[in-house]
């Protein structure tokens, strides 16, 4: 396995071609191998990758702990529903609604960022947590006096994505083969996810990315380097929120139904866990975290069937097991890979350095002559 | 006399109800090495933070004839002030090279940055050896060198040094001060804040003595070093 990976690393073109074929064929492999419900899981994997990449900009790059990130997902989703559903009788096409939703969420990112500029760490986390809850509670209650969100019932019959005359909402029959909408959404989500990965990677090595790293390390020193810390922090909030809003719009179109229940604090924490588990600040790590934490709970469903087949009835509810394993996974990560599964170069160095630092300081106390 | 590079009048810095700096006046002329000495809590660091726009302050600050107070820190840095913060403020999880790179954040002239980087490594061979190492793993003295080298990467017209001797072994302190003298000898204007009055008076041209937020004495460093009052209060005699 290792030899295969090494030889692929030496042939980047071949690796790229293989990856392209794999990504293109993946829904068919999953769909025919494991059943069409797994294509739906794949769609959600991509949505969570998109969310995790967005949150990683705020938390991983700029070091601003945001516990209310799902609010931007909610804002993107509700904006899509307002502009493309029978609720207001508007049916704008998705390529108009999605950018508006992303920008709308980005604007809220700045609105959240501006008053919290001077907060750091735990204090920032609490305020963002509150913000996430406020948005959800608003969505839950804004059905009176004017029905904006339809309250806890949520908004229904949201338009599916439509490109020219082709609607993503209906299955496609082709030579006796039936492809459900989940296949089309897979390719749409994949396109957006790849775009997000590209942007995030480019940002990391840019002047902006380096300034974020400096702010994360030491904000006063960053300002003393001539970095406009205020604008760059707002930019991090806005960019993260924009990705969240985009994912929200895609989610609304895909599901056709949204309600405040989809945007709880748990979702914010889940996305944060994906980043932490995978390796904060490192895009491959973040992607891996999102894939694992979306796929594993789905795979656990089979444990219910397994119990029924072997024991005759379900002893342990798979959804209870999910939380248990989730906790076990995070605790083992803390013990064995504290920097995450695929840590960024910087974090890996940091965690590896701990022991070296003390020795170094001892040794160099007396070597000033050198 | 030429007009001073930095002139400060009635600078006040207060944190809530605590007045750290109570209206001080001082000047730094181009090419000078001026030090601001005083005991712990005299308001020296607050003065520097006020100059950099890092804390709310009042009074008038002119740099090269232009008012700079109420400007944002990054704008003040762009005018040519650079601060080596107290406790060094290096970016611990970035490498030495990346730290130096951040020092040149406001500059765009690639050849100039490259030349200055070579110069920094020449001045601090220790940093050249450790350029790929994480800055957080350097010793205290090396971190101080890095902080000074990093500030120099911005080609400042006025370098503000906040307690460069803090927490360092005596030999390392001497080495840092040799470097400060070298930098000053190259014509960089420096405002040095220091508790270690002995050292600061030796290396500087002029000095201000600060006590509970006010300047109580000022004059040429050689003269102040012989002042019985200063000797009694700061030089332990």
């Amino acid at each position: 396995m290792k030899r295969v990976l090494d030889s692929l690393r030496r042939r980047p073109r071949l690796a790229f071609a293989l990856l392209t074929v794999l990504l293109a064929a993946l829904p068919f492999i999953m769909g025919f191998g494991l059943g069409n419900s797994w294509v739906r899981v794949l769609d959600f994997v991509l949505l969570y990758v998109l969310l995790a990449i967005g949150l990683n900009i705020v938390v991983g790059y700029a070091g601003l702990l945001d516990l209310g990130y799902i609010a931007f997902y909610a804002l993107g989703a509700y904006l899509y529903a307002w502009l493309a559903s029978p609720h207001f009788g508007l049916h704008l096409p998705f390529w108009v609604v999605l950018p508006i939703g992303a920008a709308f969420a980005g604007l809220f990112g700045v609105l959240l960022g501006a008053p919290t500029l001077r907060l750091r760490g735990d204090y920032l986390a609490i305020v963002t947590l509150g913000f996430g809850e406020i948005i959800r509670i608003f969505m839950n209650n804004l059905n009176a006096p004017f029905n904006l969100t339809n309250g806890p019932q949520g908004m229904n019959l949201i338009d599916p994505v439509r490109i020219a005359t082709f609607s993503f909402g209906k299955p496609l029959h082709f030579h006796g083969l039936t492809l459900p909408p989940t296949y089309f959404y897979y390719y749409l989500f994949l396109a957006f996810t790849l775009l997000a990965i590209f942007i995030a990677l480019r940002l990391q090595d840019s002047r902006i990315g380096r300034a974020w790293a400096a702010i994360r390390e030491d904000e006063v020193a960053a300002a003393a380097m001539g970095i406009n810390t205020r604008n760059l922090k707002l930019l991090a909030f806005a960019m993260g929120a924009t990705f969240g809003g985009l994912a929200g719009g895609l989610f609304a179109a895909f599901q056709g139904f949204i309600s405040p229940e989809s945007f709880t604090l748990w979702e914010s924490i889940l996305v944060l866990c994906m980043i932490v588990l995978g390796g904060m600040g490192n895009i491959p790590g973040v992607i891996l975290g999102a894939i694992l934490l979306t796929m594993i709970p789905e795979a656990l469903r089979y444990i219910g069937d397994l119990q029924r087949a072997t024991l005759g009835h379900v002893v342990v509810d798979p959804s209870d097991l999910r939380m248990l394993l989730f906790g076990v996974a995070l605790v083992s990560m803390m013990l064995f890979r504290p920097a995450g599964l695929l840590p960024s170069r910087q974090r890996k160095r940091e965690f590896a350095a701990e022991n070296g630092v003390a020795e170094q300081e001892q040794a160099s106390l007396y070597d000033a002559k050198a | 006399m030429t007009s001073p590079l930095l002139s400060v009048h009635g600078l006040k810095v207060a944190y809530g109800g605590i007045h750290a700096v109570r209206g001080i006046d001082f000047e730094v002329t181009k090419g000078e090495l001026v030090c601001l000495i005083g005991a712990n809590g005299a308001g020296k660091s607050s003065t520097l933070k006020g100059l950099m726009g890092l804390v709310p302050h009042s009074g008038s600050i002119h740099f090269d004839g232009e008012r700079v107070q109420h400007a944002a820190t990054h704008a003040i840095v762009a005018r040519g002030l650079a601060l080596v913060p107290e406790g060094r403020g290096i970016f611990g999880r970035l490498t030495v090279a990346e730290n130096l790179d951040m020092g040149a954040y406001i500059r765009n002239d690639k050849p100039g940055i490259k030349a200055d980087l070579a110069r920094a490594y020449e001045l601090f061979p220790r940093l050249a050896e450790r350029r790929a190492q994480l800055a957080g793993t350097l010793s205290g003295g090396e971190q101080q060198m890095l902080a000074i080298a990093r500030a120099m990467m911005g080609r400042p017209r006025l370098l503000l040094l906040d307690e460069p001797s803090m927490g360092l072994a005596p030999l390392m302190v001497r080495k840092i001060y040799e470097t400060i003298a070298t930098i000053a000898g190259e014509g960089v204007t420096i405002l040095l804040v220091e508790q270690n009055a002995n050292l600061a008076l030796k290396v500087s041209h002029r000095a201000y003595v600060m006590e509970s937020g006010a300047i109580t004495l000022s004059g040429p460093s050689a003269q102040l070093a012989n002042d019985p009052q200063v000797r009694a209060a700061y030089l332990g005699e």
Side-chain angles (χ1 to χ4, degrees):
Chain A
M1 183 68 191
K2 193 168 184 302
R3 201 180 301 160
V4 175
L5 280 177
D6 279 346
S7 68
L8 278 180
R9 197 160 288 151
R10 267 179 274 123
R11 295 186 196 85
R13 280 229 188 114
L14 179 67
F16 186 74
L18 281 177
L19 190 67
T20 311
V21 172
L22 179 69
L23 283 177
L26 199 57
F28 291 94
I29 299 170
M30 294 292 253
F32 291 103
L34 293 162
N36 278 336
S37 70
W38 275 92
V39 184
R40 191 179 174 75
V41 174
L42 276 185
D43 291 351
F44 273 104
V45 167
L46 289 171
L47 276 182
Y48 278 110
V49 169
L50 203 53
L51 280 173
I53 285 175
L55 183 60
N56 184 53
I57 291 178
V58 188
V59 181
Y61 289 179
L64 304 162
L65 185 50
D66 184 349
L67 287 182
Y69 186 65
I70 218 69
F72 304 118
Y73 187 54
L75 287 165
Y78 270 93
L79 195 103
Y80 193 100
W82 289 327
L83 298 182
S85 82
H87 189 71
F88 290 133
L90 290 169
H91 295 281
L92 298 179
F94 86 100
W95 50 267
V96 173
V97 184
L98 274 186
I100 298 177
F104 180 65
L107 177 74
F108 269 81
V110 174
L111 286 181
L112 168 67
T116 57
L117 276 174
R118 294 167 70 181
L119 299 180
R120 248 170 260 177
D122 311 354
Y123 301 94
L124 181 63
I126 291 294
V127 174
T128 52
L129 188 150
F131 171 80
E133 285 298 279
I134 287 168
I135 296 290
R136 185 181 63 82
I137 291 165
F138 260 110
M139 299 310 183
N140 216 5
N141 292 289
L142 280 182
N143 50 351
F146 169 71
N147 190 2
L148 190 64
T149 64
N150 212 21
Q153 281 96 39
M155 294 168 75
N156 219 332
L157 298 171
I158 300 166
D159 298 351
V161 169
R162 188 190 302 272
I163 295 174
T165 56
F166 179 71
S167 169
F168 280 36
K170 292 186 213 84
L172 179 74
H173 302 284
F174 182 76
H175 290 297
L177 197 72
T178 303
L179 292 183
T182 45
Y183 282 74
F184 318 133
Y185 279 107
Y186 170 82
Y187 293 108
L188 181 72
F189 291 0
L190 185 65
F192 279 109
T193 307
L194 290 177
L195 179 72
I197 292 172
F198 176 74
I199 294 173
L201 285 174
R202 289 304 297 261
L203 269 176
Q204 192 164 22
D205 291 325
S206 70
R207 200 174 141 78
I208 294 172
R210 289 189 302 134
W212 280 337
I215 292 172
R216 187 184 64 212
E217 293 297 313
D218 188 327
E219 206 174 322
V220 171
M225 299 295 105
I227 293 166
N228 188 335
T229 51
R230 183 196 61 198
N231 287 3
L232 277 156
K233 280 165 79 172
L234 286 180
L235 183 67
F237 270 117
M239 297 237 18
T242 304
F243 281 122
L246 178 68
L250 291 171
F251 170 72
F254 174 58
Q255 289 279 74
F257 165 75
I258 54 168
S259 78
E261 253 175 68
S262 308
F263 311 109
T264 54
L265 175 64
W266 165 245
E267 292 287 320
S268 284
I269 292 173
L270 181 67
V271 179
L272 188 65
C273 284
M274 290 170 180
I275 297 179
V276 173
L277 181 75
M280 211 189 297
N282 191 31
I283 295 295
V286 167
I287 296 169
L288 180 67
I291 293 173
L292 287 179
L293 290 191
T294 320
M295 299 277 260
I296 291 175
E298 295 300 327
L300 284 178
R301 286 183 202 279
Y302 289 113
I303 290 182
D305 297 340
L306 191 72
Q307 288 177 37
R308 215 170 283 121
T310 52
L311 305 168
H313 58 100
V314 178
V315 182
V316 187
D317 186 353
S319 64
D320 294 340
L321 211 56
R322 190 188 297 191
M323 297 306 279
L324 177 74
L325 285 181
F326 205 80
V328 170
L330 283 174
V331 172
S332 359
M333 186 210 101
M334 282 183 252
L335 288 174
F336 302 111
R337 289 191 76 91
L341 295 174
L342 288 177
S344 67
R345 211 167 10 105
Q346 271 163 26
R347 283 183 70 80
K348 200 151 85 195
R349 285 185 309 205
E350 175 206 359
F351 278 96
E354 296 287 343
N355 296 322
V357 181
E359 276 171 39
Q360 183 86 43
E361 269 170 4
Q362 272 302 315
S364 52
L365 199 61
Y366 301 101
D367 65 356
K369 285 182 296 257
Chain B
M1 207 181 115
T2 52
S3 68
L5 183 63
L6 176 77
S7 81
V8 176
H9 291 289
L11 179 70
K12 283 183 190 165
V13 178
Y15 306 99
I18 300 155
H19 297 273
V21 180
R22 302 158 181 269
I24 60 169
D25 304 339
F26 66 94
E27 289 178 354
V28 182
T29 310
K30 197 171 186 310
E32 262 190 321
L33 200 175
V34 174
C35 74
L36 192 60
I37 55 175
N40 222 346
K44 308 182 300 291
S45 294
S46 298
T47 304
L48 292 193
K49 282 185 191 148
L51 289 180
M52 292 301 291
L54 288 166
V55 290
H57 56 278
S58 63
S60 92
I61 303 168
H62 284 82
F63 183 65
D64 208 10
E66 282 178 88
R67 281 168 70 97
V68 293
Q69 72 261 42
H70 307 307
T73 304
H74 65 95
I76 293 174
V77 175
R79 296 256 181 96
L81 261 83
L83 171 71
V84 176
E86 189 178 13
R88 309 181 275 265
I90 52 141
F91 303 122
R93 279 186 258 166
L94 306 188
T95 63
V96 169
E98 283 165 343
N99 265 271
L100 291 173
D101 212 29
M102 287 313 303
Y105 185 80
I106 52 167
R107 292 170 61 186
N108 278 320
D109 58 321
K110 282 209 173 117
I113 294 173
K114 218 178 152 191
D116 284 1
L117 188 64
R119 175 81 190 105
Y121 285 143
E122 193 187 313
L123 200 60
F124 300 102
R126 218 37 191 301
L127 298 182
E129 280 166 34
R130 312 202 157 179
R131 68 182 82 187
Q133 200 172 316
L134 274 199
T137 66
L138 298 178
S139 75
E142 287 162 349
Q143 289 187 7
Q144 186 65 58
M145 289 177 186
L146 177 59
I148 296 175
R150 187 183 62 181
M152 292 298 295
M153 287 301 292
R155 269 203 197 161
R157 291 194 287 158
L158 175 62
L159 182 63
L160 308 176
L161 296 172
D162 198 349
E163 302 237 9
S165 74
M166 194 171 78
L168 298 184
L171 276 172
M172 197 47 112
V173 172
R174 208 164 72 196
K175 193 156 171 54
I176 295 285
Y177 267 83
E178 279 165 19
T179 314
I180 294 173
T182 312
I183 293 171
E186 286 170 3
V188 179
T189 315
I190 298 177
L191 175 61
L192 169 68
V193 155
E194 189 55 90
Q195 264 191 74
N196 190 332
N198 206 0
L199 267 171
L201 288 175
K202 250 181 223 159
V203 75
S204 60
H205 304 126
R206 280 193 309 117
Y208 293 92
V209 179
M210 228 178 147
E211 234 171 282
S212 20
I215 287 175
T216 52
L217 275 173
S218 67
S221 301
Q223 196 182 316
L224 280 185
N226 291 319
D227 187 294
Q229 213 183 321
V230 174
R231 293 196 76 83
Y234 301 103
L235 303 178
E237 284 177 21

